[in-house]
C-alpha cells in the first residue's frame, strides 16, 4: 500500500472510530484517547490528523452532508413535476436520515452550541437548501403548477413543516422515525395553500 493510500485508510479508520465513540458516549463524553484506541493508532497520531474532537466532528458532519447533497446530483429531475420532485426529495431525505439517524440525534442534542464556526456553517447550509427549493418553487410557478408566491418564504415554510415532523424523533421522544408517508402528508398540507 502506498504512503498516501495508507494515510487515507488511517483517516477513514479515525472517522469511523470517531462516529462510533460519539454515538456510544456522546460528543461531550467522547474522548480522543478512546477514538485513537478504536482506530488502532496512537493518540499523538490522531492529533496529526485532527487537532481536537470538534475538528473531527466537523469533518464527520461535512462528509455526511456532502453525501446527502450528492444524492440530489443524480439526473431525472427535469421530467418530474413539482409534487413528484418533492416526493423524490422526501424519499431521499428519509433514506439518508434512516441511514444516519445517529448523526441527526448527535447534532440536535450533543453538539456544542457555542461553536460559532459550526453554527455559521449550518446556517449557510440552510440558506443553500432554502435557495435550491426556492428555485424549484419559482420554476413550478413559471410552469403554472403553483400560484404566485414568495418563493423563499414558501421554501422556508415547506422545510419547517418537514423539519417539524422529524423533531420528536431527533430529540428522542419518538421510538421510530417518521416515514416518507408522514413527510408527504405534511407536504400536502402546505401544498394546499400554494397550488393553483
Amino acid at each position: 500500500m502506498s504512503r498516501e493510500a495508507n494515510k487515507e485508510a488511517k483517516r477513514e479508520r479515525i472517522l469511523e472510530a470517531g462516529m462510533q465513540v460519539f454515538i456510544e458516549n456522546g460528543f461531550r463524553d467522547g474522548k480522543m484517547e478512546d477514538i485513537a484506541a478504536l482506530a488502532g493508532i496512537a493518540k499523538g497520531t490522531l492529533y496529526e490528523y485532527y487537532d481536537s474532537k470538534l475538528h473531527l466532528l466537523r469533518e464527520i458532519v461535512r462528509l455526511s452532508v456532502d453525501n446527502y447533497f450528492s444524492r440530489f446530483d443524480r439526473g431525472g429531475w427535469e421530467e418530474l413535476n413539482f409534487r413528484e420532485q418533492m416526493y423524490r426529495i422526501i424519499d431521499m431525505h428519509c433514506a439518508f436520515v434512516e441511514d444516519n439517524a445517529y448523526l441527526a440525534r448527535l447534532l440536535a442534542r450533543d453538539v456544542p452550541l457555542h461553536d460559532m464556526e459550526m453554527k455559521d456553517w449550518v446556517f449557510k447550509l440552510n440558506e443553500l437548501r432554502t435557495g435550491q427549493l426556492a428555485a424549484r418553487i419559482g420554476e413550478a410557478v413559471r410552469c403554472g403548477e403553483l400560484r404566485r408566491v414568495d418563493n423563499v418564504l414558501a421554501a422556508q415554510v415547506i422545510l419547517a413543516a418537514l423539519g417539524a415532523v422529524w423533531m420528536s424523533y431527533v430529540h428522542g421522544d419518538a421510538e421510530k422515525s417518521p416515514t416518507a408517508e408522514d413527510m408527504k402528508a405534511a407536504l400536502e398540507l402546505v401544498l394546499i395553500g400554494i397550488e393553483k
Side-chain angles (χ1 to χ4, degrees), residues 95-114:
F96 177 83
V97 172
E98 190 169 307
D99 293 344
N100 297 278
Y102 64 88
L103 186 61
R105 284 189 166 168
L106 179 70
L107 290 174
R109 298 192 321 205
D110 204 27
V111 171
L113 296 176
H114 64 275

Side-chain angles (χ1 to χ4, degrees), residues 12-166:
E12 287 177 21
R13 286 197 325 265
I14 292 168
L15 291 166
E16 289 172 15
M19 277 193 284
Q20 189 170 339
V21 167
F22 293 151
I23 291 166
E24 291 173 6
N25 303 326
F27 177 78
R28 286 183 205 99
D29 295 331
K31 296 186 179 4
M32 291 294 267
E33 50 267 12
D34 295 338
I35 294 167
L38 191 58
I41 60 173
K43 186 176 173 182
T45 302
L46 173 57
Y47 280 103
E48 290 175 17
Y49 286 81
Y50 300 99
D51 60 8
S52 68
K53 65 181 182 176
L54 184 58
H55 180 203
L56 175 58
L57 177 66
R58 286 179 186 149
E59 182 65 7
I60 291 168
V61 171
R62 187 191 64 76
L63 290 171
S64 296
V65 168
D66 287 351
N67 177 345
Y68 178 83
F69 280 109
S70 74
R71 295 169 184 236
F72 296 92
D73 292 338
R74 300 177 188 130
W77 293 96
E78 304 79 29
E79 330 52 79
L80 303 176
N81 66 34
F82 182 74
R83 176 178 266 106
E84 292 167 338
Q85 288 180 17
M86 291 303 301
Y87 280 7
R88 184 172 177 189
I89 289 168
I90 287 170
D91 288 338
M92 291 175 4
H93 178 78
C94 287
F96 177 83
V97 172
E98 190 169 307
D99 293 344
N100 297 278
Y102 64 88
L103 186 61
R105 284 189 166 168
L106 179 70
L107 290 174
R109 298 192 321 205
D110 204 27
V111 171
L113 296 176
H114 64 275
D115 179 29
M116 290 310 293
E117 185 175 334
M118 178 90 67
K119 278 179 150 178
D120 289 344
W121 183 68
V122 168
F123 181 77
K124 286 177 184 165
L125 281 176
N126 283 331
E127 281 185 326
L128 173 66
R129 221 172 44 149
T130 301
Q132 289 172 335
L133 182 53
R136 290 182 193 273
I137 290 169
E139 184 58 32
V141 168
R142 281 187 289 286
C143 292
E145 294 177 69
L146 302 178
R147 65 182 177 84
R148 184 166 298 288
V149 294
D150 179 323
N151 299 350
V152 173
L153 181 60
Q156 290 169 336
V157 169
I158 289 171
L159 292 172
L162 298 178
V165 174
W166 281 97

